[in-house]
């Protein structure tokens, strides 16, 4: 069996960059080239100053420093990388469609199709093409169709190898994955050989028993299902958090009590202001859309409620702030701590903070925002993209700070929206003294110590407390 010598990854984003950095680190004899149409992104990946990398992930800078320009390359020369590669990972974005049929639900597969067409056009030798992006079940048949109708004598094997990393812990997740999933054509020799070749790469660092192989459709659907189950757990505990607030039960105690049941388990039971991130919402909407397209309306309705509950949780949090501040936040200054969708990432896609900010701005609040890793430009891009009001109005009502004590000065309330560790260690006494009184804290992540905050004088509200 031919050994893989060169890999190309199309898409240098949150998945392509870290995943290929780990493969290059673990397989020094393989040349890995990550390509992208976005020249700025590639320049950032090639930047001497590692703080300029386009993705912030703990441990990523070390990997880049160790492997870049040895066997790991970032480039915009997509054709060359495709031509030279034995194996091509497609790791481009698959956002929710914003137009036409399936608008607001279906995955937009235009970038995937463009990649398939480019591979079909450029390839002169046999290739293994791997779906790394998260895709609707049965996408491989479309890719196969495009690749197998080129009449250029090149043979393609298509595999599904979905990625399960979570942002903020990507390098650890990639280094010690719970499992690696490979879906392929298990009924042909060529298909089995392609699966083996990909499996061998992972076996450089992943125990063989953690490498699962399935048919290609199961692999595609397992990725959507995993995200749907994870998001469902959060919506379930968030639903209970609302009931806790009405009944004096404490959601942290409820989570702990149910998590001890080994069938339920303790992970992913943190009630919050709502889940964010680029994938949970998009992937569930996609699952809903696929289910409806097979006329499985009950299935679609079931999963759709995970999203509806999440929307409710974000709205409920903002409404609680407004109600508690005597039913008006008009011209009141409110500090938002955290803008990223979770800690240890600079990613803000679908972050709950964006929607909480939008609700509060609708009520004419004045917002001051602090996040240790998100830039001012990104924060304004996120609120402006909603199109709720003009960019000028957003600029008049929202200020971004790069220092916590400036952020909170003169505010009526603080809302904690991301669980950054540094927030816990702030000088909360100093913060209290610089605020208007009564000083409110709405802890959307339950990271602060409620009794200590109350002892300092704050009126403290957690989630589900
Ligand atoms: P991203 O937006 O960060 O990166 C995608 C990159 O692909 C962009 O830089 C874009 O310029 C590039 N691109 C798009 N079309 C291209 C083309 N035709 N040729 C070359 N480059 C092209 O996206 P991401 O977060 O890395 O996600 C990629 C896929 O992985 C999605 O399907 C997502 O659902 C899935 N996924 C993401 C995560 C995550 O944590 N972000 C985890 C698991 C799976
Ligand atoms: C998630 C999955 O965990 C990954 O396995 C998957 O690969 C990825 O989506 C994807 O397909 O993109 P990610 O979105 O990066 O990863 O981060 P998570 O840790 O899952 O957090 C998602 C959101 O849920 C965050 O806003 C987080 O704060 C929130 N969350 C998480 C809670 O509110 N409570 C919890 O108990 C856990």
């Amino acid at each position: 069996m031919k050994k893989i010598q060169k890999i190309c990854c199309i898409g240098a984003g949150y998945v392509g960059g870290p995943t290929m950095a780990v493969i290059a680190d673990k397989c020094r004899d393989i040349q890995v080239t990550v390509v992208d149409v976005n020249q700025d992104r590639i320049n950032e990946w090639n930047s001497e100053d590692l703080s300029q990398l386009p993705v912030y992930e703990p441990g990523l800078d070390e990997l880049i420093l160790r492997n870049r320009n040895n066997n790991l390359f970032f480039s915009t020369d997509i054709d060359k990388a495709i031509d030279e590669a034995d194996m091509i990972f497609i790791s481009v974005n698959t956002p929710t469609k914003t137009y036409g049929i399936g608008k607001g639900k279906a995955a937009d597969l235009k970038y995937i199709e463009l990649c398939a067409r480019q591979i079909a056009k450029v390839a002169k030798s046999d290739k293994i093409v791997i779906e790394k992006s998260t895709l609707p079940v049965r996408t491989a048949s479309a890719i196969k169709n495009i690749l197998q109708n080129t009449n250029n004598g090149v043979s393609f094997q298509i595999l599904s190898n979905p990625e399960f990393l979570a942002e903020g812990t990507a390098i650890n997740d990639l280094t010690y994955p719970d499992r690696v999933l490979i879906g392929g054509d298990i009924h042909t020799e060529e298909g089995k050989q392609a699966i083996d070749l990909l499996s061998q790469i992972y076996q450089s660092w992943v125990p063989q028993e953690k490498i699962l192989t399935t048919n290609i459709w199961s692999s595609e659907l397992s990725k959507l299902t995993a995200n749907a189950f994870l998001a469902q757990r959060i919506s379930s505990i968030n639903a209970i958090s609302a009931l806790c607030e009405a009944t004096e039960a404490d959601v942290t105690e409820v989570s702990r009590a149910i998590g001890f049941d080994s069938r339920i388990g303790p992970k992913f039971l943190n009630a919050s202001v709502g889940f964010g991130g680029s994938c949970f919402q998009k992937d569930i909407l996609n699952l809903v859309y696929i289910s409806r397209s097979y006329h499985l309306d009950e299935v679609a309705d079931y999963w759709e409620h995970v999203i509806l509950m999440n929307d409710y949780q974000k709205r409920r949090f903002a409404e609680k702030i407004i109600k508690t501040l005597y039913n008006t936040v008009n011209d009141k200054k409110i500090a938002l701590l955290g803008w990223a969708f979770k800690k240890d990432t600079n990613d803000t896609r679908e972050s709950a903070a964006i929607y909480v900010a939008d609700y509060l701005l609708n009520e004419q609040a004045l917002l001051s925002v602090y996040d240790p890793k998100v830039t001012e430009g990104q924060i304004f891009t996120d609120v402006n993209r909603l199109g709720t009001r003009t960019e000028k109005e957003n600029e008049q009502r929202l200020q971004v700070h790069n220092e916590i004590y400036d952020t909170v000065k003169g505010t009526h309330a603080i809302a904690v929206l991301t669980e950054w560790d540094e927030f816990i260690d702030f000088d909360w006494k100093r913060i209290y003294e610089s605020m208007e009184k009564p000083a409110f804290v709405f802890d959307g992540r339950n990271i602060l110590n409620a009794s200590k905050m109350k002892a300092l004088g704050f009126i403290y509200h957690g989630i589900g407390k």
Side-chain angles (χ1 to χ4, degrees):
M1 196 168 15
K2 193 180 146 203
K3 205 177 164 317
I4 300 298
Q5 291 177 323
K6 289 190 180 178
I7 287 178
C8 156
C9 173
I10 311 181
Y14 282 85
V15 168
T19 309
M20 292 303 129
V22 170
I23 292 184
D25 196 54
K26 301 293 183 187
C27 308
R28 299 292 171 94
D29 52 342
I30 298 180
Q31 182 183 308
V32 180
T33 307
V34 190
V35 291
D36 205 292
V37 280
N38 183 335
Q39 181 73 57
D40 290 342
R41 217 168 212 196
I42 291 299
N43 291 346
E44 286 164 0
W45 280 113
N46 283 323
S47 169
E48 283 294 314
D49 174 1
L50 292 174
S51 72
Q52 295 303 308
L53 294 180
V55 172
Y56 171 71
E57 274 294 338
L60 178 63
D61 48 358
E62 282 166 44
L63 280 183
I64 297 296
L65 193 63
R66 192 154 66 227
N67 300 295
R68 194 174 56 192
N69 299 332
N70 290 330
N71 65 329
L72 175 65
F73 301 89
F74 293 92
S75 163
T76 47
D77 196 343
I78 303 176
D79 285 357
K80 179 167 179 271
I82 292 175
D83 180 33
E84 291 180 351
D86 313 301
M87 188 174 259
I88 301 166
F89 287 81
I90 302 181
S91 185
V92 299
N93 38 330
T94 48
T96 306
K97 264 186 97 175
T98 53
Y99 55 89
I101 298 170
K103 177 179 171 177
K105 287 233 160 63
D108 192 341
L109 297 180
K110 73 174 170 195
Y111 306 110
I112 295 286
E113 182 168 339
L114 279 170
C115 289
R117 289 189 185 279
Q118 193 158 4
I119 295 168
K121 193 176 80 190
V122 172
K124 296 193 280 290
S125 56
D126 295 352
K127 313 275 179 208
I128 298 173
V129 176
I130 299 171
E131 298 175 343
K132 189 51 130 173
S133 298
T134 303
L135 297 170
V137 54
R138 297 205 71 83
T139 304
S141 67
I143 297 181
K144 216 175 246 177
N145 242 298
I146 293 168
L147 293 177
Q148 286 174 350
N149 284 300
T150 51
N151 293 325
N152 59 3
V154 175
S155 150
F156 295 98
Q157 279 300 317
I158 292 126
L159 301 179
S160 158
N161 173 222
E163 184 47 61
F164 294 99
L165 69 81
E167 290 178 27
T169 53
I171 303 306
N172 190 64
D173 295 344
L174 288 161
T175 309
Y176 308 103
D178 285 347
R179 78 319 212 165
V180 167
L181 180 57
I182 303 177
D185 189 351
I186 47 183
H187 300 296
T188 64
E189 273 316 306
E190 296 80 2
K192 282 194 265 185
Q193 210 177 70
I195 292 173
D196 278 351
L197 284 167
L198 180 57
S199 176
Q200 272 172 29
I201 290 176
Y202 284 111
Q203 279 174 46
S204 305
W205 77 98
V206 180
Q208 202 169 353
E209 64 275 13
K210 291 196 171 188
I211 303 175
L212 314 181
T213 54
T214 62
N215 82 34
I216 199 154
W217 319 123
S218 305
S219 174
E220 288 178 336
L221 187 55
S222 297
K223 174 62 198 177
L224 293 181
T225 308
N227 274 359
F229 269 60
L230 289 167
Q232 179 213 44
R233 266 175 88 92
I234 305 168
S235 275
S236 298
I237 201 67
N238 281 344
I240 298 300
S241 76
L243 197 53
C244 286
E245 287 169 34
T247 58
E248 291 185 37
D250 179 329
V251 77
T252 310
E253 292 179 349
V254 175
S255 289
R256 186 162 176 267
I258 64 167
F260 261 76
D261 186 323
S262 60
R263 294 167 302 174
I264 296 174
K267 294 184 183 166
F268 248 69
L269 285 179
N270 292 324
S272 68
V273 56
F275 62 74
S278 62
C279 294
F280 279 173
Q281 173 159 310
K282 134 179 117 59
D283 293 347
I284 294 177
L285 289 173
N286 187 354
L287 199 60
V288 169
Y289 183 77
I290 297 166
S291 304
R292 281 209 205 288
S293 71
Y294 286 102
H295 308 293
L296 301 169
D297 285 332
E298 286 78 359
V299 179
D301 291 346
Y302 177 79
W303 288 111
E304 195 160 29
H305 271 81
V306 173
I307 300 291
L308 296 178
M309 182 53 63
N310 198 47
D311 292 341
Y312 165 71
Q313 189 74 350
K314 292 181 272 189
R315 194 170 64 240
R316 199 171 75 77
F317 183 81
E319 283 171 358
K320 182 158 184 176
I321 296 177
I322 297 157
K323 201 167 152 218
T324 311
L325 295 186
Y326 316 106
N327 287 314
T328 176
V329 290
N330 189 311
D331 285 345
K332 285 183 186 161
K333 201 172 157 196
I334 300 176
L336 304 186
L337 302 196
W339 192 265
F341 80 99
K342 63 184 286 197
K343 73 171 180 179
D344 291 339
T345 178
N346 60 344
D347 195 349
T348 65
R349 290 177 288 181
E350 288 304 323
S351 178
I354 302 169
Y355 298 95
V356 171
D358 196 48
Y359 287 123
L360 296 174
L361 289 169
N362 275 347
E363 293 294 324
Q364 313 222 318
L366 295 166
L367 302 182
S368 54
V369 184
Y370 169 74
D371 187 290
K373 287 289 173 201
V374 181
T375 61
E376 175 170 2
Q378 185 61 50
I379 292 171
F380 277 107
T381 302
D382 290 337
V383 276
N384 289 337
R385 193 180 286 141
L386 295 177
T388 318
R389 62 197 74 70
T390 64
E391 294 188 8
K392 194 158 171 243
E393 283 170 302
N394 284 332
E395 272 164 34
Q396 281 164 348
R397 298 221 152 251
L398 190 151
Q399 275 195 329
V400 179
H401 296 266
N402 49 23
E403 198 271 332
I404 178 62
Y405 302 103
D406 280 347
T407 315
V408 295
K409 204 166 155 202
T411 54
H412 289 257
I414 293 174
V416 178
L417 300 177
T418 312
E419 73 282 24
W420 286 103
D421 291 337
E422 68 174 71
F423 295 174
I424 300 168
D425 299 326
F426 283 158
D427 182 346
W428 284 97
K429 185 166 180 290
R430 181 172 163 196
I431 291 174
Y432 177 77
E433 281 159 7
S434 71
M435 288 173 69
E436 293 289 324
K437 307 294 175 320
F440 295 89
V441 168
F442 299 88
D443 185 353
R445 298 292 184 162
N446 289 343
I447 54 167
L448 303 172
N449 182 317
S451 0
K452 275 194 195 155
M453 297 299 282
K454 285 176 190 164
L456 286 173
F458 286 106
I459 300 178
Y460 174 88
H461 292 275
I463 296 270
K465 308 269 178 190

